């Protein structure tokens, strides 16, 4: 019997995403069949840097799991998805495809890092660059991992000049536009959100003042119930229900209390209610239930105000 451990058929590769296990390769086959309608051995060998025999074994293994998902077409020499195709993996879901498409289009990662082979023409809204130095990010990660405080020079919106302060970071948060670090501020003695791009300098590590477990707002989860604006027509309400994936006229979103302001702002629910129904489109159905949290996080749906970001 041939010693496969010493086989020269394994193809070396410089790709960072190679050498994933067999489950990952099975998910790749599933993904390509669903969204591109076909798969062949060269797709697998080029992406994962494996041998042709191994790719054949991967396809055979997938066929055993889902014999009705693919059929070999001799004329084109590829395996094609059948009309009975049913995805086997979570990574094959539509939202995953769209997330990868957005990341590749926006430059978040190289197209080769995605399972997507053919990229359809796609546009996305441009955003101003938010510069974060590698030293700053590394220091924040180290402080989080080792539960340390970090002395930084920070440019706050409330002061014209940068100031030095110590923070105890424990989490990152993204509001759809910019990245924040969630941290206990030793100066103001409360948990706040610091915009990464406003950290101008890291001056060293110090002892932490508070632990992550003390950030009550971060670990408190709220449920936001969204519904179409009641003044919309029946047809317009149906469109909004489709847009937001609503069932029975509503949809529930889970949200950390610490991110409530950003969530409402992104949904357009932090503005004065002066917009026409066609512009507002949705309402917070359980606003009364969340009243105490809205006040506690300095958020009011009735007026525009600031969040706990500095």
């Amino acid at each position: 019997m041939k010693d496969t451990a010493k086989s020269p058929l394994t193809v070396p590769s410089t790709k960072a995403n190679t050498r994933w296990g067999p489950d990952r390769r099975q998910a790749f086959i599933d993904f390509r069949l669903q969204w591109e309608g076909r798969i062949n051995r060269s797709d697998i060998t080029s992406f994962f840097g494996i041998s042709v025999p191994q790719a054949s074994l991967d396809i055979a293994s997938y066929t055993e799991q889902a014999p009705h998902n693919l059929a070999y077409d001799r004329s084109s020499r590829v395996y094609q998805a059948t009309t009975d195709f049913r995805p086997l993996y979570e990574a094959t879901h539509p939202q995953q495809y769209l997330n990868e498409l957005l990341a590749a289009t926006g430059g978040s990662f190289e197209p080769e890092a995605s399972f997507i082979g053919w990229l359809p023409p796609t546009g996305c809204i441009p955003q101003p660059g938010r510069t974060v130095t590698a030293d700053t990010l590394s220091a924040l990660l180290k402080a989080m991992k080792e539960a340390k405080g970090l002395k930084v020079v920070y440019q706050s919106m409330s002061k014209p000049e940068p100031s030095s302060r110590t923070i105890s970071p424990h989490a990152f948060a993204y509001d759809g536009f910019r990245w924040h670090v969630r941290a206990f501020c030793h100066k103001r003695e409360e948990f706040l959100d610091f915009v990464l791009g406003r950290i101008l300098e890291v001056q060293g590590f110090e002892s932490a003042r508070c632990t992550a477990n003390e950030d009550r707002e971060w670990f408190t989860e709220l449920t936001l119930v969204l519904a179409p604006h009641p003044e919309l027509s029946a047809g317009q309400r149906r469109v909004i229900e489709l847009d937001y994936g609503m069932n029975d006229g509503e949809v529930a979103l889970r949200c950390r209390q610490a991110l409530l302001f950003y969530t409402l702002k992104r949904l357009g629910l932090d503005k004065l209610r002066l917009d026409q129904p066609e512009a507002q489109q949705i309402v917070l159905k359980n606003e009364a239930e969340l009243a105490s949290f809205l006040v506690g996080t300095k958020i009011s749906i009735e007026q525009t105000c600031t969040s706990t970001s500095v």
Side-chain angles (χ1 to χ4, degrees):
M1 181 179 294
K2 188 174 181 179
D3 186 354
T4 56
K6 298 180 180 179
S7 172
L9 294 175
T10 300
V11 180
S13 173
T14 58
K15 287 187 178 181
N17 56 12
T18 59
R19 302 307 177 203
W20 285 333
D23 284 345
R24 190 66 171 166
R25 299 197 297 271
Q26 295 294 293
F28 175 83
I29 295 171
D30 200 56
F31 187 97
R32 285 288 179 92
L33 286 171
Q34 169 74 318
W35 303 119
E36 299 188 16
R38 47 167 286 167
I39 187 79
N40 60 26
R41 291 178 299 181
S42 64
D43 293 330
I44 306 171
T45 58
S46 61
F47 190 89
F48 292 98
I50 61 175
S51 68
V52 172
Q54 181 59 63
S56 297
L57 290 174
D58 289 333
I59 293 177
S61 176
Y62 182 88
T63 303
E64 289 181 7
Q65 297 179 71
H68 300 296
N69 273 5
L70 72 169
Y72 185 69
D73 181 68
R74 295 186 180 276
S75 61
S76 59
R77 296 184 179 180
V78 300
Y79 290 87
Q80 296 184 341
T82 67
T83 56
D84 296 324
F85 178 88
R86 295 294 182 272
L88 299 181
Y89 289 82
E90 187 74 22
T92 309
H93 287 192
Q95 193 57 51
Q96 179 66 27
Y97 178 91
L98 293 174
N99 287 341
E100 292 192 16
L101 183 61
L102 178 61
T105 303
S108 298
F109 59 60
E110 294 297 323
E112 291 80 6
S114 167
F115 279 179
I116 298 176
W118 173 76
L119 285 174
T122 307
C124 60
I125 299 173
Q127 296 188 12
R130 297 273 175 180
T131 303
V132 180
T133 67
D135 289 343
T136 296
L137 184 57
S138 294
L140 288 169
L141 291 168
K142 180 180 176 65
M144 287 183 191
K145 187 174 182 179
E146 300 180 6
K148 292 183 177 180
L150 194 64
K151 189 174 183 179
V152 300
V153 176
Y154 189 78
Q155 177 63 69
S156 173
M157 282 289 290
S158 60
K159 294 184 179 180
E161 298 297 329
S163 62
S164 179
R165 69 176 76 194
T166 300
I167 62 175
S168 296
H170 73 84
F172 290 114
Y174 184 64
D175 65 4
F177 179 62
R178 58 191 181 185
W179 282 94
H180 304 254
V181 60
R182 182 75 175 173
F184 182 80
C185 179
H186 295 207
K187 182 178 181 180
R188 291 175 52 175
E189 297 189 335
E190 62 178 322
F191 285 97
L192 298 170
D193 306 327
F194 295 87
V195 180
L196 294 192
R198 297 180 190 168
I199 299 177
L200 307 181
E201 182 184 346
V202 174
Q203 297 181 320
F205 295 93
E206 298 187 1
S207 298
R209 184 73 63 83
C210 275
T211 64
N213 292 335
E214 297 176 73
D215 190 353
R216 179 184 55 81
E217 292 184 359
W218 180 262
F219 291 102
T220 299
E221 283 202 343
L222 308 175
T223 298
L224 313 182
V225 180
L226 308 180
H229 197 293
E231 295 181 21
L232 292 173
S233 68
Q236 290 171 325
R237 289 198 299 273
R238 178 56 181 160
V239 170
I240 299 305
E241 290 173 6
L242 292 172
D243 285 347
Y244 288 83
M246 296 180 180
N247 292 314
D248 298 325
E250 64 181 42
V251 64
L253 302 181
R254 297 290 291 172
C255 169
R256 294 182 187 273
Q257 184 184 348
L259 304 181
L260 182 56
F261 173 80
Y262 308 119
T263 303
L264 295 179
K265 184 175 182 180
R266 190 167 178 80
L267 292 171
L269 294 172
D270 63 324
K271 303 175 182 179
L272 289 167
R273 289 184 175 175
L274 299 177
D275 293 330
Q276 295 296 319
E278 290 79 6
Q280 183 63 41
Q281 297 186 347
I282 60 172
V283 295
L284 184 60
K285 190 174 181 180
N286 63 333
E287 177 183 344
E289 298 175 16
L290 300 174
S292 61
F293 297 104
L294 297 173
V295 173
T297 53
K298 304 177 183 178
I299 301 170
S300 172
I301 302 177
E302 301 296 337
Q303 57 185 342
T304 302
C305 56
T306 60
S307 71
T308 52
S309 177
V310 291

